[in-house]
Amino acid sequence: MKILKNDTITILGDEAKDLLEHKCTTIPKELIHLPGSDFIDRVVEMSDRSNSVLRNLATLFNHGRLAGSGYLSLLPVDQGVEHSAAASFAPNPIYFDPENIVKLAIEGGCNAVTSTLGVLGAVSRKYAHKIPFILKINHNELLTYPNSFDQRLFASVEQGFQMGAVGIGATIYYGSQESRRQIEEISAAFKRAHELGMFTVLWCYLRNDGFKKDKVNYDAAADLTGQANHLGVTIEADIIKQKQATNNGGYTALNFGKTSPLVYEKLSSQHLIDLTRYQVANCYMGRAGLINSGGPSGENDLQQAVKTAVINKRAGGMGMISGRKAFQKPMGEGIELLNAIQNVYLDRGIDIA
């Protein structure tokens, strides 16, 4: 079936013209290593990644509805730990069963499913050869009282290798007091993953109450998240997962760290596509693909998910990783939402800004 740009226009509503016709005049698209069917040969092949890593990346890029496009649609379900199983699965209890998580990723046409050791391990013999697995090895659990926000290792790289995972995922809470330990842990884990032939995906999230000032939360600021991305590719993350930028000026508002006026005067603007373009630039100009997260589930999930996908694609990003918006609905509706996201990346009429 031909993908129609009109479908996206309808979903975006009043925002369609601004998002689909915007031209980026900050960082030119010609400077970005853009996604494409030849991305591995054109970009990754020149790196120090082994043949086995290249093969597993190819497995990822050549699965699901986006196969061969150079774009990614991932289903991440680690919320049973990150947000508690009750808060995550009570709206749709079928997902207490790990098999339904994997089924949603398969039926939804995703490139891969990302989840915990327990979830993937419970069904690995049945599904590891049917859809690429990405094992998330660390988590922030909320049962400790009082709550402590820290990513701790729950699994090893070797366990992912043994279950047949093609990639390893991890989170670093950049800006937190624990971030330096997390950087060391995950850098070592990513080194081991590459030795075993697996690619690496890093959740580059900011976490510090000090990033909030005058009722503005800068944990999704382009300048701060951009630097988090840059730290992520420094430890050889192959793919960066990041919240889509919604504002800018975190460094200047909080008066810490180092930045340049050019970041705000020349390299970005207030437009959401330009803010995300700056995030892509910090991923070594797209040498590591930027996938944006879908965010929490709400009342206008379809519109928000498609909007995020349009911004990501037009900024030069590599795709979306959407969990709660999909699995907190009946499976049929979740599949439709994942397909709507994928349609954005399949639509050649939606170009790079």
Side-chain angles (χ1 to χ4, degrees), residues 90-285:
N92 199 357
I94 68 168
Y95 291 110
F96 278 106
D97 184 340
E99 186 170 13
N100 287 319
I101 293 172
V102 180
K103 284 182 176 179
L104 175 61
I106 293 173
E107 296 299 322
C110 294
N111 297 76
V113 59
T114 301
S115 197
T116 67
L117 176 65
V119 165
L120 297 181
V123 295
S124 64
R125 287 188 183 275
K126 184 174 181 179
Y127 290 104
H129 58 294
K130 296 177 181 177
I131 184 172
F133 279 10
I134 301 173
L135 174 64
K136 181 77 163 32
I137 61 172
N138 69 347
H139 308 286
N140 173 49
E141 55 85 19
L142 293 180
L143 193 58
T144 301
Y145 184 81
N147 287 159
S148 174
F149 297 97
D150 184 17
Q151 289 286 330
R152 289 287 180 169
L153 291 171
F154 273 55
S156 70
V157 173
E158 283 76 10
Q159 286 172 299
F161 178 76
Q162 290 163 3
M163 76 162 60
V166 296
I168 293 296
T171 298
I172 293 177
Y173 280 161
Y174 288 106
S176 70
Q177 292 183 345
E178 299 82 9
S179 64
R180 291 179 178 176
R181 189 206 78 247
Q182 293 168 15
I183 291 169
E184 293 175 358
E185 286 179 351
I186 302 309
S187 178
F190 280 6
K191 176 178 180 293
R192 183 58 177 149
H194 283 148
E195 289 173 349
L196 292 173
M198 293 180 285
F199 60 81
T200 56
V201 185
L202 187 63
W203 280 239
C204 290
Y205 285 168
L206 300 180
R207 194 69 91 245
N208 192 314
D209 288 338
F211 290 157
K212 301 175 183 178
K213 184 177 181 182
D214 299 329
K215 297 182 180 181
V216 177
N217 192 343
Y218 291 99
D219 68 1
D223 54 353
L224 298 185
T225 55
Q227 180 60 18
N229 292 354
H230 194 81
L231 295 177
V233 291
T234 299
I235 62 172
E236 293 203 331
D238 297 309
I239 298 167
I240 296 292
K241 177 190 176 186
Q242 182 59 269
K243 294 179 181 180
Q244 200 161 75
T246 56
N247 55 41
N248 206 355
Y251 276 123
T252 54
L254 304 173
N255 193 29
F256 89 110
K258 291 187 177 182
T259 187
S260 167
L262 295 175
V263 171
Y264 316 101
E265 297 168 2
K266 183 178 180 180
L267 301 182
S268 64
S269 77
Q270 294 303 308
H271 198 282
L272 293 175
I273 292 174
D274 295 345
L275 294 176
T276 303
R277 174 68 56 87
Y278 186 72
Q279 290 181 326
V280 172
N282 277 277
C283 295
Y284 289 173
M285 284 295 188

Side-chain angles (χ1 to χ4, degrees), residues 287-298:
R287 288 183 183 272
L290 173 69
I291 55 176
N292 287 126
S293 52
S297 181

Side-chain angles (χ1 to χ4, degrees), residues 25-101:
T25 59
T26 54
I27 298 173
K29 63 183 179 182
E30 290 76 14
L31 296 181
I32 304 293
H33 299 278
L34 295 171
S37 59
D38 63 343
F39 184 81
I40 294 175
D41 294 335
R42 174 168 42 90
V43 179
V44 188
E45 189 180 70
M46 70 178 68
S47 71
D48 63 358
R49 308 311 192 262
S50 69
N51 292 344
S52 295
V53 173
L54 298 181
R55 180 198 62 214
N56 280 327
L57 277 171
T59 298
L60 175 72
F61 280 111
N62 290 312
H63 189 87
R65 292 185 72 229
L66 298 184
S69 68
Y71 289 104
L72 300 175
S73 169
L74 307 182
L75 177 72
V77 187
D78 60 352
Q79 287 87 349
V81 179
E82 297 282 339
H83 301 282
S84 90
S88 301
F89 303 136
N92 199 357
I94 68 168
Y95 291 110
F96 278 106
D97 184 340
E99 186 170 13
N100 287 319
I101 293 172

Side-chain angles (χ1 to χ4, degrees), residues 278-341:
Y278 186 72
Q279 290 181 326
V280 172
N282 277 277
C283 295
Y284 289 173
M285 284 295 188
R287 288 183 183 272
L290 173 69
I291 55 176
N292 287 126
S293 52
S297 181
E299 294 182 357
N300 58 343
D301 284 341
L302 179 62
Q303 181 183 24
Q304 288 300 315
V306 169
K307 176 181 176 179
T308 301
V310 168
I311 293 169
N312 173 273
K313 182 180 182 182
R314 301 209 67 222
M318 188 169 275
M320 265 190 70
I321 182 164
S322 185
R324 283 171 287 174
K325 288 184 185 300
F327 71 74
Q328 289 188 336
K329 295 176 173 58
M331 187 173 288
E333 293 182 22
I335 291 170
E336 290 177 1
L337 184 138
L338 291 170
N339 289 169
I341 291 171

